[in-house]
Amino acid sequence: MELLALDIGWGTTLAIKTIVVLIIIPTGALILGYVFLLKMMSHMQSRLGPMDPGGFHGWYQLVGDGLKFIQKEDVMPAQADRRVFAMAPAVVVLSTFLIFAVIPMGPDLVVKDLDVGVFYALAVSSLSVIGVLMAGWASANKFALLGALRAAAQLIAYELPLLLAVVGVVVQAGTLNLQGIVTAQQDGSIFGFSGLGEPFILTQFIGFALFLVAAQAELTQTPFDMPVAESELVSGFMVEYTGFRFLFFFIGEFGTAFAFAALAATLFLGGWAIPGVEGDWANILGPFVLFAKLMAVAFLMFWVRFTYPRLREDQLQSLAWKVLIPLGLLNLVLTGVFKVAF
Amino acid sequence: MPKLPGLIGGLGVTLKTMLRPAVTVQYPHEKEDPAPRARGVIALKEENCTVCMLCARQCPDWCIYIEGHKEQRPPRREGGRPRSVSVLDRFDIDYALCMYCGICVEVCPFDALFWSPDYEYSESRISDLLHDKQRLGEWMATVPEPEPLEAGAESKGKK
Amino acid sequence: MSTERMVATDQLAPEALHHLADAQINVELDTGDMILNLGPQHPATHGTLRLVVRLDGERVVSADPVIGYMHRGYEKLTEFRTYPQVTTLINRIDWLSSFANEVPFMDAAEKLMDIEAPPRAKYIRTILTELSRIATFLLFLGEMGLQVGALTPAFYGFRDREHVLNLIEAVTGGRFHPNFNRIGGLKDDLPWGWVAECRSVMDIVFEACDTFEKLVAGNEIFEARTRGIGIIPADVGSSYGMSGANLRASGVDWDLRRDGPPYLVYPELDFEVHTHPDADSFARYIVRLEETRESARMVLQCLDALPSGPVMAKVPRIIKVPEGEVWVETENPLGQMGYYVISKGATGPFRVKIRSASFSNVSILPWLLRGVFVPDVITILGSLYFILGDIDR
């Protein structure tokens, strides 16, 4: 690591990176949950949200919730499959942590700069489907089963639009490496003007829209939250989970939102890059810039979540297969044509 | 492909609401004032009560418990008969049963019962919701003045 | 896919054995019917309605509503209560629009006593009835969004309803249970400044309706979830005894305020009755949205035409209603509500039969829910808009 010109061995570096990832995800989930779920949703609904915990606008609410969940009794349905029931939340959260291994927060701040970064990120994010299915099946509950089956169908269907959106970016950047994509945006130019770099959102706006829609579906958020339809199935596949295990699902949900927002910010908005900042300053400011950009993307995702009703399962599927995938293919064709032509 | 304007319009509504102040009244730090006629609690003016038992009889829930006895009082003038006066021993309203309908307040012929908009008297034990004569008398301090009526009304403001 | 004919294997020809093997595999893979209990404790049903549905995958094969979890024995209770006491009870039948429940009962008692309420009382009764209609429909417009998954409109519904409830509280003293009607008129007159406040609240109501139109009715996802769902043809609806906005959404132009025997001041008001040709859930939403606007216009008309005078006719101190029987039906927010009152000359009724709208509205559920998806069951339940207190009494 040239950042501090220190000579740290690979073991210590690995330990630092692991600790950073382990801390970032729950903290990110907490911040996103508080700002968007508790405060933004409340203000959109003309109310205040938590105000008392912690004194200042209830910032302590989620921390208190977390502590409350940890001290709860571990209840498992009598007919549940014990081991699968216990492992399901872990599988869901695992995929979230793994995504963060490739997201760059600065020119040198990345856990592992894989050359197949994008491919790895998308592959690992689809591991959560297994966790959902495990949860639904092991709960020995009809509602949970219904929810899990809906979730599996939905998550698999929306992998493709997600992929197609990202492939457009990859074609334009010319590399699967996430650092390379950020550098391509930083060094690019808009019609010859290179002051602002070239965030891919300008050329890949179809891809950006597709990515947001597909990410919304991957996170099972309204308008795609049939699996956890609150007013029908009461939490769907999570219904039998209480206490610590439910906390895992909660962290998984918001942590994945955090991760997807970070991915979108990296792929379309330029990640940690700001025009004009290079080298060591980029390493210091990078994480904050990335954070600001991902909050903007998360704002869009949660804004849509709190405004729209949910689509029915078959409407959801027909949207994915009949509308989004053709759009994605169109985007890919256009990108390819423009890439070769210019 | 669905047409977009409807979806965008919906987003505009939530954004506008988010930017406006919230309507929450943060009880118990801030409190709203209920209307003067709000049916919060019933107050008893003991000197007007003649133990006629009309309120206890008309209550749909039978939540008013009245006990009284007759006493002899000296005559007003010399040479008259001693008057017998009803004295109120016990007047309890059980607010655990009361449905706040107001029939007792209305049927009282002697104006001994009044409505008050005060509502903060919750207790931790149900038996504490039985307000006795003395407590009902204390509520009289919170009874508002009869308010003026809208233009075109004929009768004066009742209780 | 069923194992209808159980034939012994040795009686089959060799070719048939192949088919039997196939059939056995089909039977093993066959998903049996699943029985799902929606309720009585469920966030989707409005209260304690239990719906036993048989599901085949995600489609409903049959649905059985089980009611009675909230039966409070109203008709028996009224046998032992005086008229003012009965008024307090019947407030609680349809608790979201409680003033509207008192009106037909008071009408019945006044018909038996041959007393007419003074004009000012009638106007104020009309205003309060339409205010309760607005209150309950604002809630519907919000919670219908909740049934299809949008969390936000429900809060707007409650927020805008607060203004109407505050108005009702300023007059009657109670937000939900006004208990304001008396035989011969009203308990009290309007407080000072109420008319001006009512006008400003009507502005809020119009604004709320526009918000709902933009946020919910104009939303393409909402339309995709509600168009074509739960179609009730007009003749089927009428044969099941449906009434109110549910029937008007099937295109039936029937409103007791205009077409029934005249009550309150509706003959003097100028209002439109809204119908919709499609008979689906979307139509029911739109009809109620338009009816809310219409109610607000009616309130403004009544405020403009409010006469001065007493609010109570001359009635004896102890009210004894003469012998007789009468049936009065009115257009309540949920539908047609009626009371059949039998009096034997006492201070209380001898027998009161309550015809509640939601009871008939819910009776169509077994017919309506065959073959729909589970999410659509929730949408349909939301769009029919019944109140459990109204069903079970």
Side-chain angles (χ1 to χ4, degrees):
Chain A
M1 279 182 44
E2 314 91 46
L3 174 59
L4 301 170
L6 290 174
D7 192 19
I8 311 178
W10 67 267
T12 325
T13 320
L14 183 64
I16 294 179
K17 287 181 178 175
T18 316
I19 293 178
V20 164
V21 170
L22 282 178
I23 293 182
I24 277 196
I25 294 284
T27 319
L30 222 93
I31 296 179
L32 241 73
Y34 173 73
V35 171
F36 293 117
L37 180 68
L38 291 181
K39 280 298 174 181
M40 182 176 111
M41 170 164 106
S42 312
H43 280 271
M44 280 189 176
Q45 293 163 349
S46 243
R47 56 190 180 93
L48 286 172
M51 295 291 282
D52 276 343
F56 179 72
H57 284 277
W59 66 269
Y60 195 67
Q61 174 72 37
L62 281 182
V63 180
D65 269 340
L67 290 174
K68 176 194 78 169
F69 278 125
I70 291 178
Q71 53 92 35
K72 280 202 175 181
E73 182 186 351
D74 184 16
V75 177
M76 223 186 262
Q79 300 189 330
D81 190 332
R82 304 192 75 85
R83 254 186 262 149
V84 178
F85 192 84
M87 281 201 300
V91 171
V92 171
V93 171
L94 185 77
S95 64
T96 311
F97 282 112
L98 287 176
I99 295 182
F100 240 79
V102 284
I103 295 187
M105 285 176 272
D108 307 308
L109 300 172
V110 58
V111 175
K112 185 67 186 171
D113 196 9
L114 290 177
D115 268 336
V116 289
V118 166
F119 179 73
Y120 164 83
L122 290 177
V124 138
S125 73
S126 52
L127 282 180
S128 54
V129 183
I130 306 180
V132 165
L133 277 172
M134 287 164 69
W137 178 256
S139 292
N141 182 332
K142 287 175 191 168
F143 285 110
L145 190 60
L146 264 180
L149 293 174
R150 285 176 177 176
Q154 172 181 317
L155 293 174
I156 294 175
Y158 277 86
E159 294 278 333
L160 279 168
L162 195 69
L163 204 79
L164 289 172
V166 170
V167 167
V169 168
V170 167
V171 165
Q172 183 159 6
T175 169
L176 279 172
N177 185 329
L178 277 167
Q179 278 286 26
I181 293 179
V182 173
T183 327
Q185 294 182 68
Q186 194 179 30
D187 298 335
S189 54
I190 314 172
F191 293 127
F193 172 65
S194 66
L196 288 174
E198 187 202 2
F200 286 154
I201 190 175
L202 294 173
T203 49
Q204 296 284 326
F205 47 89
I206 306 181
F208 185 60
L210 272 180
F211 189 91
L212 279 186
V213 172
Q216 199 86 342
E218 286 290 318
L219 296 166
T220 56
Q221 281 189 353
T222 332
F224 305 107
D225 72 340
M226 260 297 156
V228 284
E230 265 179 54
S231 52
E232 294 168 40
L233 296 181
V234 205
S235 285
F237 61 88
M238 291 193 283
V239 72
E240 293 286 352
Y241 281 87
T242 61
F244 196 54
R245 303 186 204 284
F246 179 74
L247 188 66
F248 263 34
F249 272 122
F250 191 76
I251 292 181
E253 183 183 335
F254 281 91
T256 319
F258 191 67
F260 270 107
L263 255 181
T266 310
L267 292 171
F268 294 99
L269 291 177
W272 51 260
I274 1 173
V277 177
E278 305 266 331
D280 274 347
W281 276 111
N283 271 321
I284 298 176
L285 289 179
F288 298 102
V289 171
L290 179 64
F291 185 71
K293 291 182 185 173
L294 81 85
M295 289 296 262
V297 174
F299 175 75
L300 286 176
M301 290 190 338
F302 282 98
W303 189 15
V304 165
R305 173 182 180 168
F306 299 132
T307 310
Y308 293 155
R310 70 176 69 98
L311 286 170
R312 213 173 51 205
E313 196 61 23
D314 56 325
Q315 294 164 340
L316 219 156
Q317 297 283 349
S318 70
L319 182 71
W321 293 96
K322 295 188 199 165
V323 174
L324 294 181
I325 292 185
L327 253 171
L329 291 171
L330 178 71
N331 180 38
L332 192 56
V333 163
L334 285 176
T335 312
V337 164
F338 280 111
K339 179 82 176 176
V340 172
F342 295 103
Chain B
M1 189 68 187
K3 52 189 197 305
L4 287 181
L7 294 173
I8 309 288
L11 286 178
V13 169
T14 37
L15 191 68
K16 228 182 350 165
T17 318
M18 184 176 89
L19 298 172
R20 279 199 210 137
V23 298
T24 319
V25 171
Q26 291 186 79
Y27 189 90
H29 310 293
E30 320 163 354
K31 292 185 197 182
E32 269 187 342
D33 283 324
R37 279 192 205 175
R39 301 198 284 258
V41 76
I42 301 174
L44 171 71
K45 197 166 182 183
E46 204 180 325
E47 51 265 26
N48 288 4
C49 177
T50 61
V51 200
C52 68
M53 303 277 205
L54 257 174
C55 54
R57 262 183 279 155
Q58 294 294 320
C59 174
D61 276 337
W62 307 295
C63 68
I64 303 185
Y65 308 111
I66 301 182
E67 280 165 24
H69 65 273
K70 283 209 174 29
E71 271 181 5
Q72 299 287 330
R73 288 278 158 82
R76 273 205 211 105
R77 296 182 302 251
E78 288 297 320
R81 276 176 304 149
R83 297 174 295 142
S84 83
V85 166
S86 298
V87 174
L88 193 59
D89 286 332
R90 172 186 178 214
F91 191 108
D92 294 341
I93 297 184
D94 189 0
Y95 282 107
L97 292 176
C98 173
M99 55 199 247
Y100 298 89
C101 62
I103 289 185
C104 56
V105 176
E106 227 183 305
V107 300
C108 177
F110 301 102
D111 279 0
L113 288 172
F114 295 88
W115 272 117
S116 155
D118 206 315
Y119 55 91
E120 288 164 303
Y121 50 94
S122 38
E123 307 278 352
S124 12
R125 291 184 307 168
I126 290 190
S127 49
D128 287 340
L129 281 177
L130 184 77
H131 289 203
D132 59 1
K133 205 167 41 144
Q134 189 210 342
R135 195 151 175 212
L136 291 175
E138 285 165 18
W139 286 121
M140 281 303 297
T142 55
V143 173
E145 291 293 318
E147 41 173 3
L149 294 179
E150 184 68 278
E154 220 182 54
S155 50
K156 295 178 53 173
K158 297 202 292 201
K159 53 188 167 147
Chain C
M1 307 219 196
S2 59
T3 51
E4 279 149 313
R5 300 180 308 135
M6 307 293 275
V7 177
T9 333
D10 55 341
Q11 292 172 339
L12 289 174
E15 317 84 63
L17 281 175
H18 286 295
H19 295 303
L20 185 60
D22 277 351
Q24 274 178 338
I25 296 178
N26 282 339
V27 162
E28 276 154 23
L29 290 178
D30 190 11
T31 52
D33 285 351
M34 183 166 96
I35 296 188
L36 196 64
N37 238 328
L38 284 173
Q41 290 154 320
H42 191 100
T45 62
H46 300 226
T48 54
L49 175 71
R50 179 175 167 208
L51 204 58
V52 184
V53 292
R54 280 183 90 92
L55 293 178
D56 177 20
E58 278 245 356
R59 281 206 184 264
V60 171
V61 171
S62 74
D64 264 316
V66 180
I67 58 176
Y69 284 90
M70 203 172 189
H71 181 66
R72 295 165 282 181
Y74 264 79
E75 299 180 1
K76 184 69 186 176
L77 281 176
T78 56
E79 289 179 13
F80 296 99
R81 300 276 190 288
T82 62
Y83 283 90
Q85 290 173 335
V86 172
T87 315
T88 69
L89 284 179
I90 57 178
N91 262 320
R92 289 151 166 87
I93 295 180
D94 166 18
W95 50 75
L96 288 179
S97 58
S98 358
F99 192 86
N101 297 328
E102 303 178 20
V103 166
F105 183 72
M106 279 298 127
D107 227 13
E110 284 168 7
K111 278 201 171 75
L112 283 175
M113 281 192 78
D114 213 6
I115 289 182
E116 212 181 304
R120 188 177 168 89
K122 282 199 182 159
Y123 268 88
I124 299 181
R125 272 187 189 170
T126 315
I127 294 176
L128 286 172
T129 310
E130 292 306 315
L131 278 181
S132 357
R133 198 184 306 265
I134 293 174
T136 187
F137 280 169
L138 280 178
L139 183 64
F140 165 77
L141 296 173
E143 63 89 23
M144 182 70 185
L146 192 63
Q147 303 291 72
V148 296
L151 304 168
T152 334
F155 286 94
Y156 296 167
F158 277 107
R159 175 196 66 185
D160 297 319
R161 195 164 169 256
E162 276 298 299
H163 299 281
V164 178
L165 290 180
N166 285 340
L167 269 185
I168 299 183
E169 192 189 23
V171 185
T172 70
R175 283 151 53 100
F176 266 70
H177 300 302
N179 190 25
F180 200 56
N181 273 309
R182 299 284 175 268
I183 297 186
L186 296 168
K187 176 177 169 215
D188 213 343
D189 209 318
L190 305 171
W192 177 253
W194 194 84
V195 172
E197 216 184 301
C198 194
R199 283 191 211 274
S200 65
V201 170
M202 291 303 112
D203 286 334
I204 297 180
V205 169
F206 282 122
E207 216 184 284
C209 286
D210 290 336
T211 306
F212 283 117
E213 200 166 25
K214 230 195 292 184
L215 182 62
V216 186
N219 192 309
E220 279 80 15
I221 303 179
F222 182 78
E223 281 188 46
R225 281 299 299 276
T226 51
R227 276 206 195 270
I229 306 293
I231 295 186
I232 303 178
D235 50 345
V236 174
S238 318
S239 73
Y240 272 95
M242 293 189 67
S243 52
N246 294 326
L247 201 60
R248 284 196 280 280
S250 302
V252 177
D253 191 11
W254 176 255
D255 188 330
L256 274 183
R257 291 175 289 181
R258 185 195 61 189
D259 304 321
Y263 70 102
L264 294 183
V265 298
Y266 291 112
E268 291 154 43
L269 290 180
D270 176 28
F271 63 97
E272 263 180 59
V273 172
H274 295 272
T275 61
H276 202 281
D278 326 321
D280 53 17
S281 306
F282 189 70
R284 292 191 271 273
Y285 190 88
I286 295 292
V287 166
R288 288 193 178 100
L289 182 66
E290 293 298 328
E291 279 189 15
T292 314
R293 289 198 175 115
E294 204 61 49
S295 289
R297 283 183 218 124
M298 277 199 255
V299 169
L300 289 173
Q301 284 179 42
C302 285
L303 288 175
D304 289 335
L306 191 63
S308 35
V311 286
M312 191 69 175
K314 288 274 171 270
V315 287
R317 195 102 207 289
I318 311 267
I319 294 182
K320 279 198 160 71
V321 175
E323 271 193 48
E325 308 177 348
V326 70
W327 161 251
V328 173
E329 213 177 15
T330 57
E331 182 77 27
N332 272 29
L334 292 178
Q336 284 177 212
M337 179 176 220
Y339 289 85
Y340 189 78
V341 180
I342 303 179
S343 163
K344 294 253 192 278
T347 52
F350 177 71
R351 173 87 168 91
V352 175
K353 154 81 183 132
I354 308 171
R355 190 268 183 203
S356 56
S358 304
F359 188 77
S360 317
N361 286 351
V362 166
S363 64
I364 204 177
L365 281 180
W367 179 90
L368 191 57
L369 290 180
R370 288 168 315 180
V372 303
F373 286 119
V374 169
D376 294 335
V377 169
I378 311 295
T379 314
I380 293 173
L381 286 179
S383 71
L384 282 180
Y385 198 45
F386 47 83
I387 301 285
L388 256 300
D390 208 33
I391 301 179
D392 292 337
R393 278 158 283 147

